[in-house]
Amino acid sequence: MLKMAGNKSYTIVEYFGGDCGYRCGYCKNDVGNFSHGMWSHTMTVQDYQDLIDRGWRRSGKYVYKPKLNKTCCPQYTIRCHALKFQPSKSHKKILKKISKFISKGELPKGQDDGEPMDSVCEDACPREPSKACHSEEKCASIKDIQKELPECPAITEAQKEVADAAPTSSETSRKDQGSVQDERTTATAPKPGMGADPGRPPCRKAKDLRKERRLQKEQIRQNTDGVSSIVSPTPPSPAPSSQPKLLEDFINESLPDNSSHCLEVRLVSADFEDPQFAASYQQSAALYARYQMAIHGDDPSECSESEFRRFLCDSPLEAEHSPDGPEVGYGSFHQQYWLDGRIVAVGVLDILPTCVSSVYLYYHPDFASLSLGSYSALREIAFTRQLQKQSPKLSYYYLGFYIHSCPKMRYKGQYRPSDLLCPETYAWVPIEQCLPHLENTRYARFNQDPDAGDARVLKDVGRALVLYRRSVMPYAAYSRKRKGSSDETEVQQYASLVGQDCAERILLYRA
């Protein structure tokens, strides 16, 4: 990670336009999928947060933005309000199915529910251009630049030139007014009533008594077990019957002591310096290959260990910690689901300043009937709610892209309340308001205010930062050095896609 005065970190990218069509993994059109793309050598979590709030998405270190008005299957960024989420009937059935399997060992018959939580469908997202497949020499050169830049006097001059262009902060999200409040009460001894014997409590149904005893037993067990793992939602207190059951209540449903299976969820950093990640890497890579071949029909060469590393382990995001951030920090993580001592599913996640972003999920094909795609999404929503208690602004769960033209991908709209990102104004619009437009046309502007525009529209390409010959400078200074340079149209396109504030923070690499 490149750092400058004041310990400020910088993102370094190379932009690759997006004129050529490629195969669509949704409708199988050979040349119908179009997107802009850039290779990210390194990226701050704040810059990536701002980019996904403009419709960008990463696949490994390749970051792309679909051309929604041109591509065959428009992909709209979708986010769920994690704090306000309430599981639907189908979600409750899935949680009960998991609970039944763990407690009794009964594996449901048939296939899954068709909800493979593939936020980035590898077959649907673009492959980076051949010129983005950097040689070891070039990558080493970039790393050398990162080391030398802090000592380069040209940086100070560049900073002076753009000092009046202080970057704006990330999207000021509409803050949820409601928060998860613990208004639930613990079970207490019954008060004297007015039954046949006023000295005794009133008659109560046997079902209620059993439920109360079960909750008391669970509470005692939780108190003796100690603090739960970081990925496990905080065990809730019993909720009054007048309030709806929360997601955490279903996930933490008490199970008999003699359960047939033991499920453990672990969060590990997608970094070989994390001993848990390194120790489980081979097992995780083998599971990925098995999933890709069985579920997506990949050839073994398409899901090799190197492909697994490129797609789901290599991340441009640098791990960061902030005083007001979550305890685990920000960056890329693998949420592993261990069943009886072996990994059966892995959810790849990015933890960013205002959200948990789902990247991909792969699981053991033998457990397809457990609807692990939906189950992992519910666990990740609960995880987001837990992180929000540590970092109040982290309150959204991003599910990747919503593709209305592909019926298989519409399930993401069932995690509500949720919003879709307007492709023209980059404002978030409730999905209920978007669906009528998508029923009539594949591409739609969701913001119905005709006067609304892009708040971060490009105003001055000359202020965009570039990295040229180991020096950081505004594009205006770069173009003066490179008299007769013919890349202004390309830089203008790049800067308009990332927005003025990101253009003034991200370093665009120029050879």
Side-chain angles (χ1 to χ4, degrees), residues 45-64:
V45 292
Q46 185 60 66
D47 285 339
Y48 186 52
Q49 177 73 67
D50 288 347
L51 287 175
I52 64 173
D53 285 339
R54 291 183 68 82
W56 291 85
R57 201 79 188 155
R58 78 173 183 88
S59 172
K61 289 189 174 183
Y62 189 69
V63 187
Y64 66 101

Side-chain angles (χ1 to χ4, degrees), residues 370-391:
L370 287 175
S371 307
L372 292 175
S374 298
Y375 178 69
S376 67
L378 296 171
R379 290 292 302 237
E380 288 165 12
I381 291 173
F383 179 46
T384 304
R385 286 153 68 127
Q386 181 190 356
L387 294 181
Q388 191 274 338
K389 293 178 180 178
Q390 303 167 9
S391 182

Side-chain angles (χ1 to χ4, degrees), residues 270-321:
D271 187 339
F272 284 96
E273 292 183 6
D274 184 326
Q276 289 190 65
F277 177 79
S280 60
Y281 176 77
Q282 291 299 332
Q283 185 183 168
S284 191
L287 177 64
Y288 166 75
R290 189 166 186 172
Y291 168 82
Q292 291 296 131
M293 289 187 287
I295 305 299
H296 292 292
D298 280 9
D299 184 86
S301 63
E302 297 177 295
C303 48
S304 62
E305 185 270 337
S306 60
E307 280 296 295
F308 168 68
R309 182 187 288 238
R310 176 198 67 80
F311 180 41
L312 297 175
C313 301
D314 290 345
S315 170
L317 302 182
E318 298 289 339
E320 296 180 34
H321 283 80

Side-chain angles (χ1 to χ4, degrees), residues 282-442:
Q282 291 299 332
Q283 185 183 168
S284 191
L287 177 64
Y288 166 75
R290 189 166 186 172
Y291 168 82
Q292 291 296 131
M293 289 187 287
I295 305 299
H296 292 292
D298 280 9
D299 184 86
S301 63
E302 297 177 295
C303 48
S304 62
E305 185 270 337
S306 60
E307 280 296 295
F308 168 68
R309 182 187 288 238
R310 176 198 67 80
F311 180 41
L312 297 175
C313 301
D314 290 345
S315 170
L317 302 182
E318 298 289 339
E320 296 180 34
H321 283 80
S322 171
D324 60 348
E327 292 176 12
V328 296
Y330 301 113
S332 299
F333 298 82
H334 283 200
Q335 195 168 54
Q336 302 173 335
Y337 295 79
W338 290 75
L339 181 69
D340 302 332
R342 64 169 176 156
I343 302 176
V344 295
V346 178
V348 183
L349 307 171
D350 290 331
I351 299 179
L352 304 174
T354 65
C355 76
V356 168
S357 176
S358 177
V359 177
Y360 200 69
L361 174 92
Y362 54 99
Y363 55 81
H364 197 296
D366 289 354
F367 300 100
S369 61
L370 287 175
S371 307
L372 292 175
S374 298
Y375 178 69
S376 67
L378 296 171
R379 290 292 302 237
E380 288 165 12
I381 291 173
F383 179 46
T384 304
R385 286 153 68 127
Q386 181 190 356
L387 294 181
Q388 191 274 338
K389 293 178 180 178
Q390 303 167 9
S391 182
K393 63 181 180 180
L394 203 164
S395 59
Y396 294 101
Y397 174 60
Y398 283 47
L399 296 94
F401 289 131
Y402 174 80
I403 304 104
H404 193 77
S405 58
C406 179
K408 272 189 174 181
M409 301 303 290
R410 291 185 183 182
Y411 70 89
K412 293 184 180 183
Q414 297 173 7
Y415 297 85
R416 300 193 182 186
S418 58
D419 306 316
L420 295 185
L421 186 68
C422 177
E424 296 181 11
T425 65
Y426 301 111
W428 292 100
V429 180
I431 193 169
E432 294 84 356
Q433 297 177 25
C434 303
L435 295 182
H437 300 291
L438 294 177
E439 288 294 336
N440 297 324
T441 177
R442 291 192 173 198

